[in-house]
Amino acid sequence: MYARTALESIRLFHDELTALRRDLHAHPELGFEEVRTSGIVAGALEALGIEVHRGIGKTGVVGVIRGKHCDSGRMIGLRADMDALPMGEDNTFSHKSSKSGLMHACGHDGHTTVLIGAARYLSQSRNFNGTAVLIFQPAEEGTGGAQAMLDDGLFEMFPCDAIYALHNWPGLKPGMIGVNPGPMMAAADRFEIVIEGRGGHGAHPYQTIDPVTVAGHLITALQSIVSRNVNPLDSAVVSIGALQAGNPDAMSVIPSTARLVGTVRTFRKTVQELIESRMNQMAASIAGAFGAKATVKYERLFPATINTPQHANLVADIATDLIGKENVVRDLTPSMGSEDFSVMLQHKPGAYFRLGQGGAEEGCVLHNPRFDFNDAVIPLGSAMFCALAERGMPLNE
Ligand code: NI
């Protein structure tokens, strides 16, 4: 009931939200550089009479809306990301990026707008008993914006009972919502293996310890971790994205070192630990077999995004009320991509869900130079956030 009211109310200012979204799209900013964006967010919240906290996680912004009653002591966090990507845009429409080499290719312009839409409705209706905390996060694209907000005391200042975030999803039709009561996105790790051999003349390889040969064996061997060591019912990816050794202009020089850089994606900690340990064993043993030495630097960048079932089910129930059960997917295939909302989910229960926006068939996929957020889905995204606050902190219990 509340939810439908929110959706109808937000549709009344859909045009304004669309204009805001396109303005943000035209002015993309990288992580921790969202100065203009966070200024616009803070200005929009202040204009609504919302208490604003700036500088949490450098360019992060938090808005606080108290309900008609606050005696429940409840607090719900709603999070949007604000940053763009370091890539050029191929679109030609009038709101295309005004900055060369920078683009909102992941739709964070849309997420920011969706949360501002929710802020407008929630600040006017205040149909909840508790506090809604609107978290505008910087630097989601791999540079640790969620952690920066936590380091600045986000959850000490705003001890949320539950947190929610959404991401647009081109593979789901507009008007659809997807959420799982468990894994949504994988953990993302980075590894770097340095192989140290002994350089020399390419015509006299017997005088060298060739690190390129070692790298070749190691590349093949590492692929067997997923196929031979990981339980086939678990999911994992080991990808080597870079191999660096020698100089293409020096065909007869065997280099002293070779370097492999790649990523590991997993959902379960036990699988992550297994891969790291096998990688260390293989690197040491294979390098050792050739008389070389290998060192592995393994970094766990982002944990897996795992929803708590109770909160994921609330998302799905609210979506069912809003758009009907035929438009709600409760068993999405989890993505091997990662999301740094996972860092917040390590501290608070909650759920991350997908807002269908369509376009995948036409190649409008995330991180594509022709991507654009679908403005048609702004009101549904905003209404979802509003309903999560209202249903999570009901006025009448
Ligand atoms: Ni994104």
Side-chain angles (χ1 to χ4, degrees):
M1 187 60 194
Y2 281 149
R4 188 159 295 121
T5 309
L7 184 54
E8 285 163 3
S9 308
I10 293 159
R11 280 191 182 130
L12 298 176
F13 50 90
H14 190 176
D15 289 350
E16 287 171 62
L17 292 174
T18 297
L20 168 66
R21 205 286 299 174
R22 292 183 178 183
D23 176 69
L24 295 176
H25 190 91
H27 300 92
E29 294 172 304
L30 289 178
F32 296 125
E33 296 174 10
E34 306 95 333
V35 175
R36 180 183 186 273
T37 307
S38 60
I40 285 172
V41 167
L45 298 180
E46 276 158 5
L48 293 165
I50 296 171
E51 176 186 317
V52 174
H53 299 257
R54 299 192 67 172
I56 302 174
K58 292 183 189 167
T59 41
V61 180
V62 174
V64 179
I65 305 173
R66 289 180 185 83
K68 281 181 184 153
H69 299 287
C70 287
D71 53 286
S72 73
R74 291 194 176 144
M75 187 174 277
I76 286 186
L78 307 169
R79 172 276 205 176
D81 41 15
M82 302 189 289
D83 57 324
L85 284 156
M87 57 182 276
E89 177 160 0
D90 287 348
N91 289 312
T92 51
F93 45 60
S94 59
H95 63 277
K96 68 176 187 292
S97 172
S98 61
K99 297 182 186 172
S100 79
L102 281 184
M103 179 188 177
H104 267 298
C106 204
H108 300 184
D109 47 345
H111 306 162
T112 299
T113 305
V114 160
L115 191 50
I116 288 177
R120 181 158 164 184
Y121 172 80
L122 288 173
S123 65
Q124 287 163 0
S125 58
R126 303 198 299 121
N127 281 325
F128 52 93
N129 184 339
T131 307
V133 179
L134 316 176
I135 304 166
F136 293 88
Q137 186 210 299
E140 191 284 324
E141 297 286 1
T143 43
Q147 188 61 51
M149 293 193 90
L150 296 185
D151 291 345
D152 281 351
L154 176 67
F155 291 143
E156 283 77 42
M157 282 185 271
F158 311 104
C160 300
D161 308 314
I163 53 173
Y164 298 94
L166 61 76
H167 204 293
N168 76 88
W169 206 247
L172 270 182
K173 289 200 181 83
M176 293 183 75
I177 300 277
V179 65
N180 291 339
M184 288 293 293
M185 306 281 279
D189 301 341
R190 177 187 186 275
F191 66 86
E192 179 170 343
I193 303 175
V194 176
I195 301 156
E196 289 171 81
R198 189 172 65 231
H201 203 300
H204 311 138
Y206 50 90
Q207 294 172 339
T208 72
I209 296 172
D210 183 357
V212 179
T213 307
V214 177
H217 281 269
L218 194 49
I219 289 166
T220 311
L222 289 175
Q223 288 311 315
S224 74
I225 297 176
V226 172
S227 71
R228 304 291 85 180
N229 301 134
V230 173
N231 185 318
L233 298 179
D234 280 320
S235 302
V237 168
V238 176
S239 287
I240 296 161
L243 158 61
Q244 207 176 60
N247 180 346
D249 295 330
M251 67 151 189
S252 62
V253 175
I254 290 172
S256 308
T257 61
R259 199 159 68 111
L260 303 173
V261 177
T263 187
V264 171
R265 305 293 170 116
T266 52
F267 288 101
R268 288 154 60 101
K269 208 155 193 160
T270 50
V271 177
Q272 183 184 39
E273 281 160 3
L274 170 77
I275 292 176
E276 181 179 356
S277 128
R278 288 297 292 141
M279 185 174 285
N280 276 303
Q281 287 168 353
M282 281 183 174
S285 309
I286 290 170
F290 289 90
K293 205 182 132 215
T295 45
V296 180
K297 185 177 164 200
Y298 194 98
E299 297 169 276
R300 298 181 185 200
L301 300 181
F302 299 107
T305 308
I306 312 283
N307 289 340
T308 34
Q310 179 199 340
H311 301 92
N313 289 333
L314 178 62
V315 169
D317 292 346
I318 286 172
T320 302
D321 290 349
L322 275 172
I323 53 182
K325 75 171 193 297
E326 66 280 10
N327 290 311
V328 181
V329 185
R330 291 173 182 250
D331 57 349
L332 286 166
T333 306
S335 162
M336 297 313 287
S338 72
E339 158 68 53
D340 90 342
F341 183 59
S342 60
V343 174
M344 294 187 183
L345 281 177
Q346 301 258 298
H347 296 266
K348 298 289 175 187
Y352 172 85
F353 59 99
R354 295 199 177 132
L355 177 64
Q357 80 137 25
E361 302 81 18
E362 295 85 50
C364 175
V365 293
L366 301 176
H367 296 207
N368 182 282
R370 288 201 178 275
F371 178 84
D372 192 33
F373 184 86
N374 183 354
D375 294 309
V377 304
I378 295 172
L380 176 58
S382 301
M384 284 297 299
F385 276 149
C386 294
L388 285 164
E390 291 180 344
R391 294 259 295 257
M393 304 181 285
L395 266 182
N396 310 303
E397 269 188 293

